[in-house]
Amino acid sequence: MSAFSDKLKGNWNIVKGKLQQEFGDLTEDDLQYIEGKETELLGRLQKKTGKTKEEIKDWVDKVV
């Protein structure tokens, strides 16, 4: 499991709340986290925010 996956799993409620604050147009469906499906989550976030996967990962690192 990657460090990114570990951070999401352990801090998902914090990350989810911060994502909703930062990107108000994200829906509950966009933010559905399923363990082992982090790549799909990144793809949804990338599509909705216009950020790269690396930018999203960096943002999560700063939040948690």
Side-chain angles (χ1 to χ4, degrees):
M1 190 177 293
S2 71
F4 179 72
S5 297
D6 288 342
K7 284 185 180 186
L8 282 182
K9 183 178 178 184
N11 300 291
W12 179 239
N13 287 331
I14 295 167
V15 172
K16 182 178 174 182
K18 298 284 185 177
L19 281 166
Q20 287 175 318
Q21 289 174 6
E22 183 80 15
F23 306 101
D25 60 338
L26 291 173
T27 66
E28 287 295 318
D29 286 341
D30 295 329
L31 295 172
Q32 184 178 14
Y33 172 73
I34 299 170
E35 190 173 343
K37 303 278 186 168
E38 291 83 4
T39 302
E40 289 179 25
L41 174 63
L42 277 173
R44 288 192 306 268
L45 293 175
Q46 191 176 5
K47 184 176 180 180
K48 288 289 261 198
T49 65
K51 306 281 185 196
T52 66
K53 288 180 183 179
E54 284 306 313
E55 287 174 321
I56 294 167
K57 286 179 179 182
D58 290 344
W59 186 89
V60 169
D61 284 341
K62 291 176 188 172
V63 170
V64 290

Tab-separated table of all heavy atoms in Angstrom:
chain	number	residue	atom	x	y	z
A	1	MET	N	0.852	-1.181	0.000
A	1	MET	CA	0.000	0.000	0.000
A	1	MET	C	0.893	1.240	0.000
A	1	MET	O	1.873	1.313	0.707
A	1	MET	CB	-0.905	-0.017	1.232
A	1	MET	CG	-1.975	1.045	1.196
A	1	MET	SD	-3.112	1.000	2.604
A	1	MET	CE	-3.967	-0.529	2.325
A	2	SER	N	0.533	2.218	-0.799
A	2	SER	CA	1.349	3.424	-0.913
A	2	SER	C	1.117	4.353	0.279
A	2	SER	O	0.134	4.238	1.001
A	2	SER	CB	1.006	4.163	-2.205
A	2	SER	OG	-0.278	4.756	-2.116
A	3	ALA	N	2.028	5.285	0.437
A	3	ALA	CA	1.896	6.273	1.513
A	3	ALA	C	0.629	7.095	1.318
A	3	ALA	O	-0.057	7.440	2.281
A	3	ALA	CB	3.124	7.168	1.555
A	4	PHE	N	0.310	7.398	0.054
A	4	PHE	CA	-0.910	8.147	-0.242
A	4	PHE	C	-2.136	7.371	0.224
A	4	PHE	O	-3.026	7.928	0.870
A	4	PHE	CB	-0.995	8.445	-1.741
A	4	PHE	CG	-2.236	9.181	-2.136
A	4	PHE	CD1	-2.402	10.520	-1.812
A	4	PHE	CD2	-3.251	8.540	-2.826
A	4	PHE	CE1	-3.551	11.209	-2.166
A	4	PHE	CE2	-4.398	9.215	-3.184
A	4	PHE	CZ	-4.551	10.556	-2.859
A	5	SER	N	-2.184	6.080	-0.073
A	5	SER	CA	-3.307	5.241	0.339
A	5	SER	C	-3.428	5.190	1.856
A	5	SER	O	-4.529	5.259	2.401
A	5	SER	CB	-3.137	3.821	-0.206
A	5	SER	OG	-3.157	3.818	-1.602
A	6	ASP	N	-2.288	5.088	2.538
A	6	ASP	CA	-2.288	5.073	3.997
A	6	ASP	C	-2.860	6.367	4.560
A	6	ASP	O	-3.645	6.348	5.504
A	6	ASP	CB	-0.870	4.866	4.538
A	6	ASP	CG	-0.367	3.452	4.328
A	6	ASP	OD1	-1.194	2.550	4.089
A	6	ASP	OD2	0.850	3.261	4.394
A	7	LYS	N	-2.462	7.486	3.980
A	7	LYS	CA	-2.959	8.778	4.457
A	7	LYS	C	-4.453	8.897	4.236
A	7	LYS	O	-5.171	9.402	5.099
A	7	LYS	CB	-2.226	9.929	3.764
A	7	LYS	CG	-0.847	10.136	4.293
A	7	LYS	CD	-0.199	11.340	3.684
A	7	LYS	CE	1.198	11.475	4.273
A	7	LYS	NZ	1.849	12.687	3.860
A	8	LEU	N	-4.929	8.461	3.070
A	8	LEU	CA	-6.363	8.533	2.808
A	8	LEU	C	-7.137	7.668	3.778
A	8	LEU	O	-8.127	8.106	4.356
A	8	LEU	CB	-6.671	8.090	1.376
A	8	LEU	CG	-6.390	9.079	0.267
A	8	LEU	CD1	-6.809	8.490	-1.071
A	8	LEU	CD2	-7.077	10.401	0.494
A	9	LYS	N	-6.689	6.453	3.951
A	9	LYS	CA	-7.403	5.506	4.812
A	9	LYS	C	-7.494	6.024	6.242
A	9	LYS	O	-8.560	5.995	6.855
A	9	LYS	CB	-6.708	4.144	4.780
A	9	LYS	CG	-7.418	3.091	5.572
A	9	LYS	CD	-6.713	1.762	5.464
A	9	LYS	CE	-7.394	0.710	6.299
A	9	LYS	NZ	-6.675	-0.549	6.282
A	10	GLY	N	-6.393	6.506	6.771
A	10	GLY	CA	-6.363	6.931	8.164
A	10	GLY	C	-6.972	8.282	8.447
A	10	GLY	O	-7.347	8.574	9.573
A	11	ASN	N	-7.089	9.109	7.424
A	11	ASN	CA	-7.531	10.493	7.631
A	11	ASN	C	-8.643	10.901	6.672
A	11	ASN	O	-8.809	12.080	6.386
A	11	ASN	CB	-6.340	11.441	7.439
A	11	ASN	CG	-5.219	11.158	8.401
A	11	ASN	OD1	-5.341	11.389	9.591
A	11	ASN	ND2	-4.117	10.621	7.884
A	12	TRP	N	-9.396	9.938	6.167
A	12	TRP	CA	-10.335	10.237	5.101
A	12	TRP	C	-11.351	11.301	5.484
A	12	TRP	O	-11.645	12.205	4.688
A	12	TRP	CB	-11.046	8.983	4.600
A	12	TRP	CG	-12.026	9.344	3.519
A	12	TRP	CD1	-13.363	9.131	3.523
A	12	TRP	CD2	-11.738	10.020	2.294
A	12	TRP	NE1	-13.928	9.635	2.372
A	12	TRP	CE2	-12.941	10.194	1.607
A	12	TRP	CE3	-10.571	10.532	1.723
A	12	TRP	CZ2	-13.031	10.829	0.372
A	12	TRP	CZ3	-10.653	11.156	0.491
A	12	TRP	CH2	-11.857	11.309	-0.174
A	13	ASN	N	-11.910	11.273	6.667
A	13	ASN	CA	-12.924	12.266	7.040
A	13	ASN	C	-12.343	13.679	7.045
A	13	ASN	O	-13.010	14.626	6.631
A	13	ASN	CB	-13.554	11.931	8.391
A	13	ASN	CG	-14.481	10.744	8.295
A	13	ASN	OD1	-15.075	10.477	7.262
A	13	ASN	ND2	-14.597	10.012	9.381
A	14	ILE	N	-11.113	13.819	7.493
A	14	ILE	CA	-10.448	15.134	7.479
A	14	ILE	C	-10.212	15.574	6.043
A	14	ILE	O	-10.542	16.705	5.660
A	14	ILE	CB	-9.113	15.075	8.248
A	14	ILE	CG1	-9.370	14.802	9.727
A	14	ILE	CG2	-8.310	16.360	8.063
A	14	ILE	CD1	-8.143	14.427	10.522
A	15	VAL	N	-9.641	14.687	5.240
A	15	VAL	CA	-9.339	15.015	3.844
A	15	VAL	C	-10.623	15.361	3.090
A	15	VAL	O	-10.686	16.346	2.355
A	15	VAL	CB	-8.598	13.847	3.153
A	15	VAL	CG1	-8.450	14.091	1.663
A	15	VAL	CG2	-7.230	13.629	3.788
A	16	LYS	N	-11.648	14.565	3.292
A	16	LYS	CA	-12.926	14.792	2.613
A	16	LYS	C	-13.492	16.173	2.954
A	16	LYS	O	-13.912	16.914	2.065
A	16	LYS	CB	-13.916	13.697	3.010
A	16	LYS	CG	-15.254	13.799	2.342
A	16	LYS	CD	-16.134	12.639	2.783
A	16	LYS	CE	-17.525	12.765	2.253
A	16	LYS	NZ	-18.396	11.668	2.705
A	17	GLY	N	-13.493	16.519	4.218
A	17	GLY	CA	-13.991	17.832	4.634
A	17	GLY	C	-13.193	18.973	4.037
A	17	GLY	O	-13.760	19.965	3.572
A	18	LYS	N	-11.887	18.837	4.029
A	18	LYS	CA	-11.023	19.871	3.456
A	18	LYS	C	-11.225	19.987	1.947
A	18	LYS	O	-11.224	21.086	1.399
A	18	LYS	CB	-9.554	19.590	3.755
A	18	LYS	CG	-9.213	19.593	5.223
A	18	LYS	CD	-9.152	20.992	5.756
A	18	LYS	CE	-8.678	20.970	7.204
A	18	LYS	NZ	-8.541	22.301	7.755
A	19	LEU	N	-11.411	18.846	1.261
A	19	LEU	CA	-11.674	18.874	-0.178
A	19	LEU	C	-12.980	19.606	-0.471
A	19	LEU	O	-13.058	20.401	-1.409
A	19	LEU	CB	-11.734	17.455	-0.746
A	19	LEU	CG	-10.401	16.772	-1.005
A	19	LEU	CD1	-10.603	15.276	-1.238
A	19	LEU	CD2	-9.696	17.405	-2.202
A	20	GLN	N	-14.001	19.341	0.336
A	20	GLN	CA	-15.287	20.006	0.136
A	20	GLN	C	-15.176	21.509	0.382
A	20	GLN	O	-15.825	22.293	-0.301
A	20	GLN	CB	-16.351	19.385	1.030
A	20	GLN	CG	-16.769	18.009	0.550
A	20	GLN	CD	-17.746	17.324	1.486
A	20	GLN	OE1	-17.588	17.376	2.703
A	20	GLN	NE2	-18.740	16.668	0.916
A	21	GLN	N	-14.356	21.913	1.335
A	21	GLN	CA	-14.142	23.339	1.585
A	21	GLN	C	-13.392	23.986	0.430
A	21	GLN	O	-13.733	25.083	-0.011
A	21	GLN	CB	-13.349	23.547	2.874
A	21	GLN	CG	-14.104	23.245	4.127
A	21	GLN	CD	-13.225	23.323	5.367
A	21	GLN	OE1	-12.066	23.716	5.305
A	21	GLN	NE2	-13.774	22.932	6.508
A	22	GLU	N	-12.350	23.324	-0.047
A	22	GLU	CA	-11.486	23.865	-1.094
A	22	GLU	C	-12.167	23.864	-2.460
A	22	GLU	O	-12.030	24.803	-3.228
A	22	GLU	CB	-10.194	23.045	-1.155
A	22	GLU	CG	-9.188	23.530	-2.150
A	22	GLU	CD	-8.360	24.714	-1.673
A	22	GLU	OE1	-8.361	24.994	-0.455
A	22	GLU	OE2	-7.725	25.344	-2.505
A	23	PHE	N	-12.890	22.797	-2.747
A	23	PHE	CA	-13.528	22.618	-4.049
A	23	PHE	C	-15.014	22.376	-3.826
A	23	PHE	O	-15.471	21.240	-3.771
A	23	PHE	CB	-12.891	21.441	-4.806
A	23	PHE	CG	-11.404	21.538	-4.932
A	23	PHE	CD1	-10.569	20.802	-4.107
A	23	PHE	CD2	-10.826	22.383	-5.866
A	23	PHE	CE1	-9.194	20.887	-4.213
A	23	PHE	CE2	-9.443	22.481	-5.984
A	23	PHE	CZ	-8.625	21.729	-5.155
A	24	GLY	N	-15.754	23.439	-3.683
A	24	GLY	CA	-17.161	23.370	-3.297
A	24	GLY	C	-18.066	22.602	-4.235
A	24	GLY	O	-19.157	22.204	-3.846
A	25	ASP	N	-17.643	22.373	-5.474
A	25	ASP	CA	-18.516	21.681	-6.426
A	25	ASP	C	-18.358	20.165	-6.390
A	25	ASP	O	-19.000	19.459	-7.157
A	25	ASP	CB	-18.301	22.200	-7.845
A	25	ASP	CG	-16.880	22.014	-8.346
A	25	ASP	OD1	-15.966	21.885	-7.515
A	25	ASP	OD2	-16.687	22.013	-9.578
A	26	LEU	N	-17.536	19.651	-5.474
A	26	LEU	CA	-17.390	18.198	-5.344
A	26	LEU	C	-18.621	17.616	-4.650
A	26	LEU	O	-19.079	18.139	-3.643
A	26	LEU	CB	-16.140	17.844	-4.541
A	26	LEU	CG	-14.804	18.144	-5.207
A	26	LEU	CD1	-13.662	17.900	-4.238
A	26	LEU	CD2	-14.622	17.306	-6.458
A	27	THR	N	-19.135	16.533	-5.201
A	27	THR	CA	-20.318	15.882	-4.631
A	27	THR	C	-19.899	14.711	-3.744
A	27	THR	O	-18.742	14.300	-3.756
A	27	THR	CB	-21.230	15.355	-5.751
A	27	THR	OG1	-20.543	14.304	-6.447
A	27	THR	CG2	-21.620	16.450	-6.725
A	28	GLU	N	-20.875	14.159	-3.038
A	28	GLU	CA	-20.610	12.962	-2.230
A	28	GLU	C	-20.138	11.815	-3.123
A	28	GLU	O	-19.275	11.044	-2.735
A	28	GLU	CB	-21.857	12.549	-1.452
A	28	GLU	CG	-22.187	13.450	-0.282
A	28	GLU	CD	-21.124	13.413	0.814
A	28	GLU	OE1	-20.617	12.318	1.142
A	28	GLU	OE2	-20.809	14.477	1.349
A	29	ASP	N	-20.716	11.702	-4.311
A	29	ASP	CA	-20.291	10.652	-5.250
A	29	ASP	C	-18.846	10.851	-5.673
A	29	ASP	O	-18.092	9.890	-5.806
A	29	ASP	CB	-21.190	10.617	-6.482
A	29	ASP	CG	-22.559	10.023	-6.195
A	29	ASP	OD1	-22.709	9.316	-5.173
A	29	ASP	OD2	-23.473	10.268	-6.991
A	30	ASP	N	-18.440	12.115	-5.911
A	30	ASP	CA	-17.056	12.405	-6.278
A	30	ASP	C	-16.109	11.978	-5.173
A	30	ASP	O	-14.985	11.563	-5.433
A	30	ASP	CB	-16.849	13.910	-6.531
A	30	ASP	CG	-17.615	14.431	-7.720
A	30	ASP	OD1	-17.825	13.657	-8.684
A	30	ASP	OD2	-18.006	15.608	-7.687
A	31	LEU	N	-16.559	12.105	-3.940
A	31	LEU	CA	-15.701	11.873	-2.776
A	31	LEU	C	-15.899	10.499	-2.144
A	31	LEU	O	-15.450	10.269	-1.035
A	31	LEU	CB	-15.948	12.973	-1.738
A	31	LEU	CG	-15.547	14.366	-2.214
A	31	LEU	CD1	-16.009	15.412	-1.222
A	31	LEU	CD2	-14.056	14.459	-2.454
A	32	GLN	N	-16.526	9.599	-2.858
A	32	GLN	CA	-16.710	8.249	-2.325
A	32	GLN	C	-15.368	7.530	-2.301
A	32	GLN	O	-14.722	7.359	-3.327
A	32	GLN	CB	-17.701	7.473	-3.172
A	32	GLN	CG	-18.004	6.111	-2.617
A	32	GLN	CD	-19.027	5.369	-3.465
A	32	GLN	OE1	-19.319	5.736	-4.575
A	32	GLN	NE2	-19.554	4.303	-2.905
A	33	TYR	N	-14.940	7.153	-1.108
A	33	TYR	CA	-13.663	6.465	-0.930
A	33	TYR	C	-13.918	4.993	-0.683
A	33	TYR	O	-14.665	4.626	0.212
A	33	TYR	CB	-12.884	7.048	0.257
A	33	TYR	CG	-11.658	6.249	0.612
A	33	TYR	CD1	-10.544	6.285	-0.205
A	33	TYR	CD2	-11.633	5.435	1.734
A	33	TYR	CE1	-9.419	5.534	0.105
A	33	TYR	CE2	-10.519	4.684	2.053
A	33	TYR	CZ	-9.413	4.741	1.230
A	33	TYR	OH	-8.296	3.997	1.527
A	34	ILE	N	-13.310	4.163	-1.512
A	34	ILE	CA	-13.369	2.721	-1.326
A	34	ILE	C	-11.934	2.231	-1.249
A	34	ILE	O	-11.142	2.483	-2.166
A	34	ILE	CB	-14.111	2.037	-2.495
A	34	ILE	CG1	-15.547	2.561	-2.573
A	34	ILE	CG2	-14.090	0.526	-2.326
A	34	ILE	CD1	-16.295	2.136	-3.810
A	35	GLU	N	-11.609	1.570	-0.170
A	35	GLU	CA	-10.248	1.073	0.009
A	35	GLU	C	-9.836	0.221	-1.183
A	35	GLU	O	-10.588	-0.621	-1.650
A	35	GLU	CB	-10.160	0.265	1.299
A	35	GLU	CG	-8.740	-0.076	1.677
A	35	GLU	CD	-8.644	-0.724	3.048
A	35	GLU	OE1	-9.604	-0.631	3.839
A	35	GLU	OE2	-7.595	-1.315	3.310
A	36	GLY	N	-8.649	0.489	-1.694
A	36	GLY	CA	-8.142	-0.230	-2.853
A	36	GLY	C	-8.506	0.426	-4.169
A	36	GLY	O	-8.050	0.016	-5.223
A	37	LYS	N	-9.337	1.464	-4.125
A	37	LYS	CA	-9.782	2.161	-5.342
A	37	LYS	C	-9.281	3.612	-5.362
A	37	LYS	O	-9.946	4.504	-5.874
A	37	LYS	CB	-11.316	2.157	-5.431
A	37	LYS	CG	-11.940	0.798	-5.397
A	37	LYS	CD	-11.905	0.167	-6.761
A	37	LYS	CE	-12.682	-1.144	-6.722
A	37	LYS	NZ	-12.939	-1.664	-8.026
A	38	GLU	N	-8.104	3.836	-4.802
A	38	GLU	CA	-7.570	5.187	-4.716
A	38	GLU	C	-7.339	5.804	-6.097
A	38	GLU	O	-7.517	7.000	-6.284
A	38	GLU	CB	-6.264	5.213	-3.915
A	38	GLU	CG	-6.440	4.926	-2.449
A	38	GLU	CD	-6.502	3.438	-2.104
A	38	GLU	OE1	-6.321	2.595	-3.018
A	38	GLU	OE2	-6.739	3.119	-0.931
A	39	THR	N	-6.972	4.985	-7.075
A	39	THR	CA	-6.727	5.488	-8.421
A	39	THR	C	-8.010	6.046	-9.031
A	39	THR	O	-7.988	7.098	-9.677
A	39	THR	CB	-6.149	4.373	-9.323
A	39	THR	OG1	-4.951	3.885	-8.727
A	39	THR	CG2	-5.845	4.886	-10.714
A	40	GLU	N	-9.117	5.368	-8.800
A	40	GLU	CA	-10.406	5.863	-9.286
A	40	GLU	C	-10.765	7.175	-8.612
A	40	GLU	O	-11.246	8.105	-9.257
A	40	GLU	CB	-11.506	4.839	-9.051
A	40	GLU	CG	-11.400	3.630	-9.946
A	40	GLU	CD	-12.493	2.608	-9.673
A	40	GLU	OE1	-13.568	2.978	-9.158
A	40	GLU	OE2	-12.255	1.431	-9.972
A	41	LEU	N	-10.540	7.262	-7.312
A	41	LEU	CA	-10.803	8.494	-6.576
A	41	LEU	C	-9.947	9.624	-7.138
A	41	LEU	O	-10.447	10.723	-7.392
A	41	LEU	CB	-10.519	8.309	-5.086
A	41	LEU	CG	-10.614	9.556	-4.219
A	41	LEU	CD1	-12.026	10.124	-4.210
A	41	LEU	CD2	-10.147	9.259	-2.810
A	42	LEU	N	-8.672	9.368	-7.343
A	42	LEU	CA	-7.791	10.390	-7.915
A	42	LEU	C	-8.291	10.844	-9.276
A	42	LEU	O	-8.259	12.031	-9.588
A	42	LEU	CB	-6.357	9.854	-8.036
A	42	LEU	CG	-5.503	9.928	-6.795
A	42	LEU	CD1	-4.176	9.208	-7.023
A	42	LEU	CD2	-5.252	11.364	-6.382
A	43	GLY	N	-8.751	9.916	-10.093
A	43	GLY	CA	-9.272	10.263	-11.409
A	43	GLY	C	-10.486	11.168	-11.325
A	43	GLY	O	-10.593	12.149	-12.066
A	44	ARG	N	-11.402	10.854	-10.400
A	44	ARG	CA	-12.587	11.709	-10.216
A	44	ARG	C	-12.187	13.097	-9.749
A	44	ARG	O	-12.693	14.107	-10.250
A	44	ARG	CB	-13.553	11.073	-9.207
A	44	ARG	CG	-14.286	9.859	-9.728
A	44	ARG	CD	-15.439	9.446	-8.814
A	44	ARG	NE	-15.072	9.229	-7.422
A	44	ARG	CZ	-14.706	8.071	-6.906
A	44	ARG	NH1	-14.640	6.998	-7.664
A	44	ARG	NH2	-14.422	7.968	-5.627
A	45	LEU	N	-11.264	13.154	-8.783
A	45	LEU	CA	-10.823	14.445	-8.269
A	45	LEU	C	-10.093	15.239	-9.350
A	45	LEU	O	-10.271	16.459	-9.465
A	45	LEU	CB	-9.918	14.252	-7.049
A	45	LEU	CG	-10.599	13.683	-5.809
A	45	LEU	CD1	-9.574	13.434	-4.708
A	45	LEU	CD2	-11.705	14.604	-5.319
A	46	GLN	N	-9.290	14.548	-10.127
A	46	GLN	CA	-8.553	15.199	-11.202
A	46	GLN	C	-9.530	15.811	-12.214
A	46	GLN	O	-9.358	16.959	-12.632
A	46	GLN	CB	-7.659	14.159	-11.876
A	46	GLN	CG	-6.653	14.705	-12.828
A	46	GLN	CD	-5.741	13.608	-13.378
A	46	GLN	OE1	-5.927	12.420	-13.105
A	46	GLN	NE2	-4.768	13.999	-14.141
A	47	LYS	N	-10.533	15.074	-12.574
A	47	LYS	CA	-11.524	15.541	-13.549
A	47	LYS	C	-12.292	16.756	-13.031
A	47	LYS	O	-12.502	17.726	-13.756
A	47	LYS	CB	-12.492	14.405	-13.877
A	47	LYS	CG	-13.499	14.738	-14.928
A	47	LYS	CD	-14.349	13.530	-15.259
A	47	LYS	CE	-15.379	13.865	-16.320
A	47	LYS	NZ	-16.208	12.706	-16.660
A	48	LYS	N	-12.713	16.716	-11.766
A	48	LYS	CA	-13.531	17.791	-11.201
A	48	LYS	C	-12.733	19.047	-10.848
A	48	LYS	O	-13.257	20.146	-10.925
A	48	LYS	CB	-14.266	17.301	-9.954
A	48	LYS	CG	-15.387	16.349	-10.229
A	48	LYS	CD	-16.556	17.033	-10.877
A	48	LYS	CE	-17.591	17.349	-9.845
A	48	LYS	NZ	-18.909	17.621	-10.323
A	49	THR	N	-11.471	18.871	-10.438
A	49	THR	CA	-10.699	20.020	-9.978
A	49	THR	C	-9.775	20.599	-11.043
A	49	THR	O	-9.309	21.722	-10.906
A	49	THR	CB	-9.830	19.648	-8.757
A	49	THR	OG1	-8.850	18.671	-9.154
A	49	THR	CG2	-10.679	19.123	-7.615
A	50	GLY	N	-9.459	19.813	-12.072
A	50	GLY	CA	-8.514	20.269	-13.086
A	50	GLY	C	-7.070	20.160	-12.630
A	50	GLY	O	-6.164	20.644	-13.306
A	51	LYS	N	-6.846	19.531	-11.487
A	51	LYS	CA	-5.497	19.346	-10.946
A	51	LYS	C	-4.911	18.023	-11.434
A	51	LYS	O	-5.641	17.110	-11.776
A	51	LYS	CB	-5.520	19.336	-9.413
A	51	LYS	CG	-6.167	20.533	-8.773
A	51	LYS	CD	-5.255	21.698	-8.768
A	51	LYS	CE	-5.892	22.850	-7.995
A	51	LYS	NZ	-5.222	24.090	-8.271
A	52	THR	N	-3.586	17.939	-11.430
A	52	THR	CA	-2.937	16.680	-11.781
A	52	THR	C	-2.981	15.751	-10.570
A	52	THR	O	-3.227	16.186	-9.439
A	52	THR	CB	-1.463	16.890	-12.176
A	52	THR	OG1	-0.739	17.340	-11.027
A	52	THR	CG2	-1.327	17.870	-13.325
A	53	LYS	N	-2.703	14.478	-10.804
A	53	LYS	CA	-2.662	13.527	-9.695
A	53	LYS	C	-1.607	13.936	-8.675
A	53	LYS	O	-1.828	13.837	-7.475
A	53	LYS	CB	-2.387	12.109	-10.216
A	53	LYS	CG	-3.558	11.515	-10.934
A	53	LYS	CD	-3.273	10.123	-11.440
A	53	LYS	CE	-4.470	9.599	-12.210
A	53	LYS	NZ	-4.249	8.263	-12.747
A	54	GLU	N	-0.474	14.399	-9.162
A	54	GLU	CA	0.590	14.829	-8.241
A	54	GLU	C	0.166	16.038	-7.426
A	54	GLU	O	0.473	16.132	-6.236
A	54	GLU	CB	1.889	15.113	-9.001
A	54	GLU	CG	2.625	13.859	-9.426
A	54	GLU	CD	2.898	12.903	-8.268
A	54	GLU	OE1	3.368	13.343	-7.202
A	54	GLU	OE2	2.632	11.697	-8.433
A	55	GLU	N	-0.535	16.980	-8.048
A	55	GLU	CA	-1.017	18.156	-7.310
A	55	GLU	C	-2.000	17.735	-6.223
A	55	GLU	O	-1.967	18.263	-5.107
A	55	GLU	CB	-1.690	19.146	-8.266
A	55	GLU	CG	-0.720	19.886	-9.155
A	55	GLU	CD	-1.399	20.744	-10.193
A	55	GLU	OE1	-2.432	20.316	-10.766
A	55	GLU	OE2	-0.898	21.855	-10.443
A	56	ILE	N	-2.868	16.788	-6.532
A	56	ILE	CA	-3.826	16.304	-5.539
A	56	ILE	C	-3.103	15.592	-4.401
A	56	ILE	O	-3.390	15.828	-3.222
A	56	ILE	CB	-4.870	15.374	-6.192
A	56	ILE	CG1	-5.733	16.180	-7.169
A	56	ILE	CG2	-5.733	14.690	-5.133
A	56	ILE	CD1	-6.578	15.344	-8.097
A	57	LYS	N	-2.145	14.750	-4.731
A	57	LYS	CA	-1.374	14.042	-3.703
A	57	LYS	C	-0.618	15.035	-2.821
A	57	LYS	O	-0.592	14.891	-1.593
A	57	LYS	CB	-0.402	13.060	-4.334
A	57	LYS	CG	-1.072	11.828	-4.893
A	57	LYS	CD	-0.059	10.893	-5.521
A	57	LYS	CE	-0.703	9.643	-6.052
A	57	LYS	NZ	0.293	8.716	-6.618
A	58	ASP	N	-0.006	16.057	-3.424
A	58	ASP	CA	0.699	17.085	-2.663
A	58	ASP	C	-0.255	17.829	-1.741
A	58	ASP	O	0.072	18.136	-0.588
A	58	ASP	CB	1.412	18.071	-3.590
A	58	ASP	CG	2.601	17.474	-4.307
A	58	ASP	OD1	3.084	16.387	-3.884
A	58	ASP	OD2	3.059	18.078	-5.293
A	59	TRP	N	-1.461	18.131	-2.238
A	59	TRP	CA	-2.457	18.839	-1.442
A	59	TRP	C	-2.838	17.996	-0.229
A	59	TRP	O	-2.927	18.514	0.881
A	59	TRP	CB	-3.666	19.147	-2.327
A	59	TRP	CG	-4.688	19.993	-1.666
A	59	TRP	CD1	-4.741	21.353	-1.651
A	59	TRP	CD2	-5.803	19.538	-0.887
A	59	TRP	NE1	-5.819	21.760	-0.924
A	59	TRP	CE2	-6.477	20.675	-0.445
A	59	TRP	CE3	-6.272	18.282	-0.541
A	59	TRP	CZ2	-7.629	20.590	0.341
A	59	TRP	CZ3	-7.401	18.195	0.242
A	59	TRP	CH2	-8.081	19.352	0.672
A	60	VAL	N	-3.074	16.692	-0.444
A	60	VAL	CA	-3.418	15.790	0.665
A	60	VAL	C	-2.279	15.750	1.684
A	60	VAL	O	-2.525	15.793	2.888
A	60	VAL	CB	-3.752	14.374	0.142
A	60	VAL	CG1	-3.842	13.370	1.289
A	60	VAL	CG2	-5.048	14.387	-0.658
A	61	ASP	N	-1.026	15.720	1.213
A	61	ASP	CA	0.116	15.718	2.125
A	61	ASP	C	0.116	16.951	3.015
A	61	ASP	O	0.475	16.884	4.186
A	61	ASP	CB	1.431	15.661	1.334
A	61	ASP	CG	1.724	14.271	0.791
A	61	ASP	OD1	1.138	13.295	1.291
A	61	ASP	OD2	2.538	14.178	-0.129
A	62	LYS	N	-0.267	18.088	2.467
A	62	LYS	CA	-0.282	19.337	3.244
A	62	LYS	C	-1.415	19.352	4.265
A	62	LYS	O	-1.294	19.946	5.320
A	62	LYS	CB	-0.426	20.544	2.305
A	62	LYS	CG	0.787	20.776	1.455
A	62	LYS	CD	0.566	21.911	0.489
A	62	LYS	CE	1.711	22.007	-0.495
A	62	LYS	NZ	1.440	22.981	-1.555
A	63	VAL	N	-2.523	18.702	3.926
A	63	VAL	CA	-3.718	18.719	4.783
A	63	VAL	C	-3.545	17.815	5.993
A	63	VAL	O	-3.981	18.144	7.083
A	63	VAL	CB	-4.976	18.308	3.967
A	63	VAL	CG1	-6.168	18.090	4.861
A	63	VAL	CG2	-5.282	19.349	2.923
A	64	VAL	N	-2.917	16.655	5.797
A	64	VAL	CA	-2.788	15.702	6.915
A	64	VAL	C	-1.376	15.610	7.414
A	64	VAL	O	-0.455	15.989	6.840
A	64	VAL	CB	-3.292	14.287	6.547
A	64	VAL	CG1	-4.785	14.323	6.404
A	64	VAL	CG2	-2.632	13.733	5.318
